[in-house]
Amino acid sequence: MFDHTRQGAVDVITGDDPINVDHVDRVLTLLQSCGSHGQPRVVLDLDRVPLIDSAGLEMLLDVQEEYQRRGGTLKLAVRNSLCREILSVTGVGRHFEIYPEAASAVGSFVQ
């Protein structure tokens, strides 16, 4: 399950399901709702996400492209070693600012 909270002007999405073909629509819906108002400033916390498959990676790239087109960004909080490795090996990680935890990712928006 994925949830949305706000920390100041930053939207934070957290969850503990895989970001795969079965759950990508739920995550996409949350990310799109965050991007529906003004300049998107969003952190996706992958700490408890066990896996990201190709559908999830493609969705993340599409969302990042849309956010950047609108002057915003999607940042990732990735402490999970498998998700970090998936992002690295596929090259998808180079399209994102990646932080070890959500708090530092959120804080990076004010620096």
Side-chain angles (χ1 to χ4, degrees), residues 2 18-19 46 60 66 90 95:
F2 289 88
I19 300 178
L46 301 173
L60 291 175
E66 175 62 20
T90 61
H95 298 277

Side-chain angles (χ1 to χ4, degrees), residues 57 60-65 68 73-76 87 90-98:
L57 293 170
L60 291 175
L61 289 170
D62 290 346
V63 168
Q64 181 72 306
E65 184 178 312
Q68 288 176 340
T73 191
L74 172 63
K75 298 183 182 187
L76 305 178
L87 291 166
T90 61
V92 171
R94 73 175 182 265
H95 298 277
F96 298 90
E97 289 182 43
I98 297 176

